[in-house]
Amino acid sequence: MTAPHPSVLALDLAALKGPDATLQRHLETCASCRAHVTAASPSTEPVPTWAQTAAGSRWRLRLPWLSAAAAVVASLVFFVTLRQPEETTRSKGHPSFALYIERGHKVHLWDGRSPVHTDDRLQLKVAAAGFSYLVVGLDTPQGWRSVYEGEVDPNAATPLPNSWRVDEKDPVVHLGFLLCHGACKPAELEAAAVERPRTSQRWWSDFSLQRSDP
Amino acid sequence: MNVEDSYRRYFPLVRERCRRLLGDGPTAADVAQETFVRFLQTRVTGGDDGVVRWLYRCSGNLVIDHLRRRRTTVAVDDLAPSPTSSHAETAALVRSFVGRLAKDLPSEVMQAGLLIHVDGLTQLEAAVVLDVTERTVRRWLDSFGQAAAALDEGAKP
Ligand SMILES: [Zn+2]
């Protein structure tokens, strides 16, 4: 009976830093883990052009993608917290976001999973819980694109003045929200979407809406 | 570290992880490239450990985004779980329903599910990668397991 395999994380770190004695013994007897370490080990292959280019430009050019028309949506009537993981709801007073969908002449609170339709308008209300500035980003094939930024009331729920129309070209609308103090930059969206900060200085949340027309 | 050293040191493990999550096709290559571009454009600290954790989180988020964008919701053969994954039953469900799970579940729950059931990480390792407590990872795994089981139940004739 062979020893249980180490995790791929342990193997990846061994590929970078070298295995410890226990892992070394395992590698001597386990072909699949040995193959993993070999594949994940530093290479001498030539660096492709895309990597050279990426390193040269800290942030890429953003191209317009979704048609985000500004329009004020009708009255907002509900407010709930959507999708807050345990780490963030332990203490009171974390930021929360409510998304409203205007369809025809009706406005309803998004339930967190129902698909949206072409020409729906999306309206956001944010309770910033002490944060004072918001950047809203749209995830596009070219990266995150800022579609709104501005101050928000740190102490009261604030409906945003803009709404966003769901375009027929978009199978998914993925909106991200970065809250901060003072002015954070739209360029921070990219890193925030990856690092998903939830600290006293930066707060990230996002919604992913599927589009499905009746 | 310059771009050549970074690429040669870290790109192989990014490429392998994306293959593990998305199979051996062009999509995995695209996501690996996108992960690495973001890495080159971000100041990641913490030495090899910090970089590897960041690369796992970033590639995981991009894979989940990809799965959510995809039209088809079932991807039976795409995932290639690590031989170290010790959750064969759930891993099989994940293979069957990964697209639906990505669309139904919050990103952090999906990240935990992929780390544990596809990468075969321990709960402690997943907690370190995701920078949360083990208790939180367990809670996310419960949600993940319930969602996978519900999809499996719903798919039965
Ligand atoms: Zn092994």
Side-chain angles (χ1 to χ4, degrees), chain B residues 31-69:
Chain B
V31 173
Q33 179 175 331
E34 179 64 19
T35 301
F36 207 74
V37 166
R38 292 187 186 203
F39 170 67
L40 292 173
Q41 295 173 337
T42 307
R43 282 187 200 90
V44 180
T45 56
D48 284 334
D49 296 77
V51 168
V52 172
R53 288 197 293 268
W54 189 96
L55 292 170
Y56 269 67
R57 285 199 302 274
C58 181
S59 57
N61 276 328
L62 291 173
V63 165
I64 292 163
D65 283 349
H66 164 75
L67 294 170
R68 285 174 176 164
R69 284 200 193 97

Side-chain angles (χ1 to χ4, degrees), chain A:
Chain A
M1 186 82 185
T2 52
H5 299 287
S7 77
V8 292
L9 180 66
L11 294 173
D12 281 347
L13 287 170
L16 295 178
K17 301 196 286 190
D20 63 19
T22 310
L23 186 51
Q24 180 61 40
R25 279 196 297 280
H26 180 82
L27 291 176
E28 283 162 9
T29 60
C30 180
S32 69
C33 286
R34 214 160 48 235
H36 181 105
V37 170
T38 302
S41 288
S43 71
T44 54
E45 62 193 275
V47 179
T49 317
W50 59 258
Q52 303 276 13
T53 310
S57 63
R58 181 155 171 73
W59 299 108
R60 286 162 296 153
L61 183 67
R62 299 282 175 258
L63 299 171
W65 177 59
L66 183 90
S67 51
V72 178
V73 165
S75 61
L76 307 168
V77 285
F78 303 108
F79 189 75
V80 295
T81 299
L82 295 171
R83 266 180 38 185
Q84 298 295 346
E86 180 198 58
E87 283 293 295
T88 64
T89 52
R90 262 188 322 212
S91 61
K92 282 195 170 179
H94 54 272
S96 55
F97 301 84
L99 189 68
Y100 296 87
I101 297 172
E102 183 192 37
R103 182 172 298 155
H105 298 293
K106 291 188 173 159
V107 177
H108 66 275
L109 180 67
W110 185 50
D111 61 8
R113 58 177 55 227
S114 297
V116 292
H117 301 164
T118 298
D119 289 331
D120 281 355
R121 284 191 173 278
L122 311 178
Q123 164 84 14
L124 187 77
K125 192 172 182 181
V126 54
F131 290 91
S132 58
Y133 200 86
L134 172 70
V135 180
V136 180
L138 182 71
D139 194 7
T140 79
Q142 288 78 35
W144 284 89
R145 184 165 73 82
S146 168
V147 293
Y148 176 83
E149 65 171 301
E151 291 181 351
V152 289
D153 189 330
N155 304 311
T158 311
L160 298 195
N162 291 17
S163 70
W164 294 276
R165 186 177 69 82
V166 177
D167 195 273
E168 62 183 358
K169 293 194 295 291
D170 311 319
V172 174
V173 179
H174 188 187
L175 289 168
F177 315 103
L178 178 63
L179 283 164
C180 50
H181 305 284
C184 37
K185 300 280 187 292
E188 292 182 48
L189 285 168
E190 201 77 52
V194 173
E195 290 158 10
R196 312 179 71 81
R198 292 206 155 175
T199 68
S200 59
Q201 297 305 307
R202 290 280 185 283
W203 190 277
W204 171 264
S205 191
D206 61 350
F207 297 148
S208 194
L209 302 100
Q210 309 294 316
R211 185 185 58 78
S212 166
D213 289 324

Side-chain angles (χ1 to χ4, degrees), chain B residues 71-118:
Chain B
R71 282 185 183 281
T72 51
T73 55
V74 178
V76 177
D77 298 321
D78 276 5
L79 285 176
S82 149
T84 69
S85 176
S86 56
H87 309 265
E89 203 169 302
T90 313
L93 287 179
V94 175
R95 269 201 303 289
S96 301
F97 299 116
V98 66
R100 265 300 289 285
L101 290 168
K103 288 184 169 75
D104 289 351
L105 291 171
S107 296
E108 57 273 13
V109 173
M110 198 63 199
Q111 284 264 29
L114 293 176
L115 286 170
I116 298 281
H117 296 302
V118 182

